């Protein structure tokens, strides 16, 4: 469109729609503010769009205010930081305090973008107090929205002291929230803040909450903690990790949820990649290998999963003298599921074993399993044999 036509026809039409009695019409009108502001540019947006957005931010319809919360940041980018600080920060703070939870959710979802745009100093004085209040909001959806963005806000503040005093209390409050989705949203983004606050603050404040969540009653929260462990291990170092968190890595292998057990098995592999074969031999094996005779076959399968996962990262000596013998013992397990599971795992381990050992030990072992009474064991042993060539 030519700019003159836009300024006359379209803006006139837009102004009329903004005055409509139907909130559904006003909702669509405010939804077009972002697109119009980009067409009008900074000066046109300040004169034509900004007053409309400010007016709609206190509209009697919560759906209109919700749309303002969704569109506000895009207008900020057009009109610039100076006008945003003067005209739109008060609007944004008001939306964070809106009496409708849906509006607060929408506003909270833009917090990291808004804080990044206006800078740490203004965010600290104007926006963060409202976010602190929202971390205790009566709506779990609002708290979940805050949990999604609060980690991205932390890097905006350059001082670790500022993060400790103003951001960390929000994080700790949300980590203790009664609803799992809130806790999960925090855990999923922990790496953004743990790299900022430093090791001492991490151990003092954040680590106790993480340890508590490692035994959370909701398995998805436990899974998110497992995914975070390798990063946490690198930050803590091997000795602090062993003392504080090491036992959890083994404990998860006996979790009641199969997804957790599988993740725990492969978590040990990721830790072994960081800490090395000596750590596996000195810390993991003494606590794990005795569980390979666990009374429940599902847990025996989990230990085998962990053994096979670590077999791909440990030294050749540990593989052939410790891990491989433990796997070979399982051909006599009374449960067929364990026997065919070890055949499936062996197929992935074979490429990491010395060819002479494959030929002299593994191949005959798989050949014997071709005579197993269970059809699945025979099938997977045959599949594993293909890896021997």
């Amino acid at each position: 469109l030519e700019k003159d036509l836009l300024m006359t026809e379209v803006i006139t039409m837009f102004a009329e729609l903004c005055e409509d009695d139907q909130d559904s019409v006003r909702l669509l009108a405010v939804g077009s503010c972002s697109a119009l502001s980009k067409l009008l540019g900074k000066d046109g947006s300040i004169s034509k769009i900004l007053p409309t957005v400010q007016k709609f931010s206190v509209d009697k319809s919560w759906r209109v205010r919700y749309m303002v919360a969704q569109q506000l940041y895009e207008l900020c980018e057009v009109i610039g930081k100076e006008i945003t600080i003067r005209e739109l920060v008060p609007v944004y703070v008001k939306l964070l305090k809106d009496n409708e939870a849906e509006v607060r959710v929408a506003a909270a979802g833009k917090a990291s973008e808004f804080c990044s745009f206006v800078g740490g100093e203004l965010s600290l004085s104007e926006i963060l107090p409202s976010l602190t209040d929202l971390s205790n909001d009566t709506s779990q959806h609002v708290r979940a929205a805050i949990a999604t963005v609060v980690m991205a806000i932390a890097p905006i503040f350059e001082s670790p002291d500022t993060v400790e005093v103003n951001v960390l209390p929000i994080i700790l409050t949300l980590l203790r929230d009664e609803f799992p989705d809130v806790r999960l949203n925090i855990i999923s983004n922990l790496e953004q803040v743990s790299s900022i606050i430093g090791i001492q603050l991490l151990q003092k404040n954040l680590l106790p909450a993480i340890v508590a969540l490692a035994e959370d009653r909701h398995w998805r929260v436990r899974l998110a903690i497992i995914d975070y462990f390798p990063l946490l291990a690198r930050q803590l170092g091997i000795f602090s990790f062993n003392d504080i968190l090491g036992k959890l890595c083994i404990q998860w292998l006996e979790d009641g949820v199969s997804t957790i057990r599988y993740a725990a098995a492969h978590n040990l592999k990721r830790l072994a990649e960081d800490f090395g074969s000596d750590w596996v031999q000195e810390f993991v094996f003494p606590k794990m290998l005795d569980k390979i005779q666990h009374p429940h076959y599902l847990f025996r399968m989990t230990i085998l999963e962990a053994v096979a996962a670590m077999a791909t990262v440990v030294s050749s000596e540990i593989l052939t003298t410790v891990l491989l013998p433990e796997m070979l013992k399982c051909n006599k397990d009374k449960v067929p599921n364990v026997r065919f599971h070890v055949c499936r795992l062996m197929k992935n381990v074979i490429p990491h074993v010395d060819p002479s050992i494959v030929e002299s030990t593994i191949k005959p072992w798989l050949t014997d399993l071709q005579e197993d009474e269970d059809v699945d064991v025979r099938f997977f042993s045959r599949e594993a044999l293909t890896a021997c060539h």
Side-chain angles (χ1 to χ4, degrees):
L1 290 173
E2 294 181 6
K3 195 160 186 178
D4 291 342
L5 178 62
L6 176 66
M7 293 295 288
T8 54
E9 300 293 333
V10 176
I11 296 301
T12 300
M13 188 186 306
F14 171 72
E16 291 175 357
L17 293 171
C18 288
E19 301 296 330
D20 199 278
D21 292 335
Q22 291 293 321
D23 63 350
S24 58
V25 176
R26 299 196 305 278
L27 175 69
L28 294 172
V30 75
S32 65
C33 285
S34 173
L36 282 174
S37 66
K38 291 174 183 177
L39 289 170
L40 291 170
K42 180 177 179 178
D43 293 338
S45 297
I46 292 171
S47 62
K48 303 293 182 181
I49 305 299
L50 180 59
T52 302
V53 169
Q54 290 172 316
K55 173 185 164 185
F56 278 148
S57 68
V58 292
D59 194 275
K60 61 184 179 181
S61 169
W62 72 264
R63 295 195 302 156
V64 174
R65 301 195 304 275
Y66 172 88
M67 185 59 72
V68 171
Q70 291 275 43
Q71 298 274 320
L72 198 62
Y73 176 70
E74 294 185 31
L75 179 59
C76 295
E77 291 183 313
V78 175
I79 65 175
K81 184 176 179 178
E82 183 180 346
I83 305 298
T84 293
I85 291 172
R86 188 173 69 243
E87 302 292 343
L88 288 185
V89 167
V91 171
Y92 180 66
V93 171
K94 189 177 294 184
L95 291 169
L96 287 171
K97 299 177 179 180
D98 197 275
N99 59 355
E100 289 291 338
E102 288 84 352
V103 179
R104 299 196 300 276
V105 168
K110 301 292 183 179
S112 60
E113 296 168 318
F114 219 97
C115 289
S116 179
F117 187 78
V118 301
E121 185 176 348
L122 188 68
S123 298
L124 188 62
S125 61
E126 299 294 331
I127 298 174
L128 214 55
S130 296
L131 299 183
T132 303
D133 292 340
L134 291 181
S135 68
N136 292 294
D137 197 273
T138 54
S139 168
Q140 70 185 79
H141 303 294
V142 174
R143 300 197 303 275
I146 291 294
T148 303
V149 300
V150 69
M151 295 302 191
I153 293 172
I156 296 169
F157 307 104
E158 297 179 359
S159 168
D161 293 338
T162 302
V163 174
E164 179 182 4
V165 174
N166 298 282
V167 182
L168 196 58
I170 300 176
I171 295 170
L172 294 174
T173 297
L174 296 170
L175 277 173
R176 293 189 292 265
D177 197 276
E178 61 180 314
F179 286 94
D181 285 352
V182 177
R183 303 194 297 274
L184 190 59
N185 286 349
I186 283 286
I187 297 162
S188 300
N189 297 286
L190 270 175
E191 61 183 88
Q192 291 179 294
V193 73
S194 58
S195 59
I196 298 170
I197 62 176
I199 188 66
Q200 291 184 338
L201 199 55
L202 176 66
Q203 288 183 308
K204 177 185 173 184
N205 291 316
L206 208 50
L207 210 53
I210 292 169
V211 171
L213 290 171
E215 299 178 336
D216 196 274
R217 65 185 184 276
H218 292 274
W219 69 267
R220 285 186 176 85
V221 174
R222 300 198 300 277
L223 182 61
I225 289 290
I226 292 174
D227 290 339
Y228 176 59
F229 254 45
L231 175 67
L232 192 59
R234 288 192 290 273
Q235 291 175 320
L236 288 174
I238 187 169
F239 297 111
S240 295
F241 181 84
N242 286 350
D243 292 341
I244 303 168
L245 303 175
K247 65 177 182 179
L248 291 170
C249 297
I250 308 300
Q251 181 180 309
W252 280 320
L253 294 171
E254 297 179 273
D255 196 276
V257 178
S258 62
T259 303
I260 298 298
R261 296 196 301 272
Y262 180 85
H266 288 270
N267 177 57
L268 287 172
K269 173 188 173 181
R270 293 160 67 192
L271 292 171
E273 290 172 337
D274 287 333
F275 289 158
S277 294
D278 289 343
W279 175 78
V280 174
Q281 193 163 18
E282 294 171 12
F283 181 81
V284 178
F285 288 167
K287 296 176 173 62
M288 185 188 77
L289 291 183
D290 62 335
K291 298 179 187 294
I292 207 162
Q293 303 298 327
H294 197 287
H296 199 297
Y297 81 95
L298 289 175
F299 296 133
R300 298 200 296 276
M301 290 173 67
T302 300
I303 301 302
L304 282 171
E305 187 79 39
V307 166
M310 287 187 292
T312 63
V313 296
V314 296
S315 68
S316 177
E317 181 184 358
I318 292 176
L319 171 56
T320 54
T321 60
V322 181
L323 296 184
L324 189 59
E326 293 294 339
M327 296 182 72
L328 294 173
K329 291 176 187 177
C330 295
N331 67 332
K332 302 298 183 184
D333 196 283
K334 62 183 179 180
V335 179
N337 299 59
V338 177
R339 299 199 300 275
F340 76 66
H341 187 58
V342 75
C343 290
R344 291 174 60 186
L345 296 172
M346 189 64 77
K347 183 178 180 180
N348 297 323
V349 171
I350 286 170
H352 301 274
V353 180
D354 185 273
S356 63
I357 297 175
V358 172
E359 196 66 28
S360 63
T361 305
I362 297 177
K363 196 171 180 180
W365 180 81
L366 290 169
T367 303
D368 288 344
L369 286 170
Q370 293 283 285
E371 306 300 323
D372 195 277
E373 62 184 17
D374 186 86
V375 64
D376 291 321
V377 176
R378 296 196 299 272
F379 172 80
F380 285 108
S381 63
R382 188 164 59 250
E383 284 284 298
L385 270 171
T386 62
C388 294
H389 302 297

